């Protein structure tokens, strides 16, 4: 064998072939990363570091309520600003219980407001990803409101809650005498999804409601559950929560099955994705 043979071997030929390579096209999950010797490839390592940085940025990004408020006002919606007991982001992350309770100032604000209720209250909370709320909340609400018109339900002013956990919505809705609350909140960022919005719905909300008494719609973003499908799911849950007078584990999401439609029908065009029989 020519002694120069080994010098002519190209670098890409050293890389081992991975039979999972084709699966990458079907998911954002980190699969089939490949390796060189005992190490992952440099590009994969850099991509991981970038994704981790984006996730951290999503958590620490300040909640821009003015921007969301302007967009909602342009849609003809009123807004109210409140805060939890967590005075800043560091306290919020270390004391989750503080994020579930209203500050004294916000309690006084809502009590003085003396709002006498609506069928549905929307609360937008920053949660663990302000980036998700900035990107997804308003487009989702735009798709959701026509369903409330169809049901003839009233929607209260949108509450923008800073340093908020999910349960804060129950406290707010109870003080505003609303029959149901849907809390739109930034989900814990993943390495491939730093901007995922979640919606938690509680029928007859009050302080002390258990997590099992809420319905959750998760992963709302263009790369996940579309605004249109998520809006229909929430509207379907609201209609059925009022009919059955319950939410949470007692109310199963069967919005994908046309046999369980009541008044509402999906407005979305890509209904073929739903399990219509």
């Amino acid at each position: 064998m020519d002694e120069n043979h080994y010098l002519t071997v190209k670098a890409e030929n050293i890389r081992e072939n991975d039979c999972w390579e084709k699966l990458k096209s079907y998911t954002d999950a980190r699969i089939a990363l490949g390796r060189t010797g005992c190490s992952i490839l440099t590009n994969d390592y850099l991509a991981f570091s970038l994704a981790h940085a984006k996730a951290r940025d999503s958590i620490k990004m300040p909640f821009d309520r003015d921007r969301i408020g302007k967009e909602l006002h342009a849609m003809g919606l009123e807004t109210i600003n409140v805060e939890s007991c967590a005075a800043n982001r560091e306290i919020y992350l270390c004391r989750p219980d503080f994020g579930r309770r209203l500050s004294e100032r916000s309690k006084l604000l809502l009590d003085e407001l003396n709002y006498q209720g609506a069928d549905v209250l929307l609360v937008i909370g920053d949660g663990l990803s302000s980036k998700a709320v900035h990107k997804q909340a308003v487009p989702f609400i735009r798709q959701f409101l026509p369903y409330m018109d169809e049901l003839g339900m009233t929607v209260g002013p949108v509450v923008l809650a800073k340093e908020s956990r999910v349960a804060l919505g129950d406290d707010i809705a109870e003080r505003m005498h609303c029959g149901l609350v849907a809390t739109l909140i930034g989900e814990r960022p993943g390495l491939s999804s730093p901007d995922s919005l979640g919606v938690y719905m509680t029928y007859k909300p009050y302080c002390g409601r258990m997590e099992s008494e809420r319905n959750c719609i998760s992963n709302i973003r263009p790369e996940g559950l579309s605004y249109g499908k998520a809006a229909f799911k929430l509207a379907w849950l609201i209609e059925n929560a009022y009919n059955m007078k319950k939410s949470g584990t007692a109310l199963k999401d069967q919005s994908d099955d046309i046999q369980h439609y009541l008044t509402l029908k999906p407005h979305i065009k890509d209904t073929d994705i739903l399990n219509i029989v």
Side-chain angles (χ1 to χ4, degrees):
M1 181 179 295
D2 187 347
E3 62 180 2
N4 294 322
H5 170 75
Y6 295 104
L7 298 177
T8 61
V9 175
K10 295 182 179 178
E12 55 264 32
N13 293 336
I14 299 175
R15 178 179 173 178
E16 295 183 7
N17 292 326
D18 192 328
C19 61
W20 284 39
E21 191 73 25
K22 292 182 180 178
L23 298 179
K24 278 187 171 182
S25 61
Y26 299 108
T27 177
D28 291 330
R30 283 179 163 70
I31 63 171
L33 294 182
R35 58 188 172 86
T36 298
C38 61
S39 301
I40 65 172
L41 302 176
T42 301
N43 285 344
D44 291 333
Y45 172 76
L46 293 175
F48 175 87
S49 299
L50 179 60
H52 188 244
K54 287 182 177 178
R56 291 173 62 89
D57 285 348
S58 297
I59 293 175
K60 295 185 177 181
M61 180 181 293
F63 185 20
D64 190 352
R65 290 190 293 190
D66 291 342
R67 167 185 159 187
I68 294 180
K70 288 179 182 177
E71 293 179 284
L72 294 174
H73 294 163
M75 296 167 58
L77 296 172
E78 298 180 8
T79 60
I80 300 171
N81 289 351
V82 300
E83 296 83 27
S84 73
C85 286
N88 55 53
R89 201 60 171 168
E90 287 70 26
I91 296 175
Y92 172 82
L93 294 174
C94 295
R95 291 293 304 266
D97 54 322
F98 282 13
R100 301 186 184 106
R101 304 200 304 265
L102 278 168
S103 67
E104 292 303 318
R105 190 197 72 83
S106 295
K107 288 180 183 176
L108 183 62
L109 172 69
L110 295 180
D111 291 344
E112 289 182 345
L113 183 64
N114 195 28
Y115 188 76
Q116 290 305 307
D119 296 322
V120 177
L121 181 69
L122 297 177
V123 175
I124 301 178
D126 45 3
L128 287 168
S129 174
S130 296
K131 185 176 183 180
V133 174
H134 295 162
K135 292 179 64 176
Q136 326 297 2
V138 172
F140 170 80
I141 290 175
R142 189 174 287 114
Q143 296 277 332
F144 168 73
L145 290 180
Y147 287 115
M148 296 299 95
D149 291 339
E150 197 169 323
L151 288 174
M153 287 187 170
T154 56
V155 179
V158 180
V159 180
L160 305 177
K162 188 177 181 183
E163 311 296 3
S164 171
R165 301 276 175 175
V166 172
L168 194 72
D170 295 342
D171 194 355
I172 296 169
E174 182 180 15
R175 290 177 182 278
M176 295 180 68
H177 309 287
C178 293
L180 182 147
V181 64
T183 300
L184 285 59
I185 197 163
E187 295 180 341
R188 185 185 304 276
L191 290 175
S192 59
S193 56
D195 55 356
S196 181
L197 183 76
V199 178
Y200 293 80
M201 186 208 74
T202 312
Y203 177 72
K204 295 295 181 187
Y206 58 82
C207 278
R209 277 287 200 186
M210 295 185 294
E211 300 302 321
S212 60
E213 294 174 307
R214 313 183 208 286
N215 290 87
C216 175
I217 303 170
S218 184
N219 196 30
I220 302 171
R221 58 192 184 106
E223 300 83 2
L225 185 66
S226 71
Y227 304 132
K229 288 196 281 290
F232 175 68
K233 281 183 176 290
L234 177 60
W236 187 95
L237 287 167
I238 289 173
E239 183 182 21
N240 283 272
Y242 268 99
N243 284 336
M244 299 170 67
K245 303 187 186 310
K246 55 190 175 185
S247 59
T249 56
L251 174 59
K252 300 299 183 185
D253 179 6
Q254 296 174 303
S255 59
D256 289 349
D257 190 341
I258 193 173
Q259 296 181 22
H260 294 280
Y261 293 172
L262 297 175
T263 301
L264 293 179
K265 306 295 182 295
H267 298 168
I268 53 180
K269 295 179 181 178
D270 48 349
T271 51
D272 56 320
I273 299 177
L274 296 174
N275 183 26
I276 296 176
V277 297

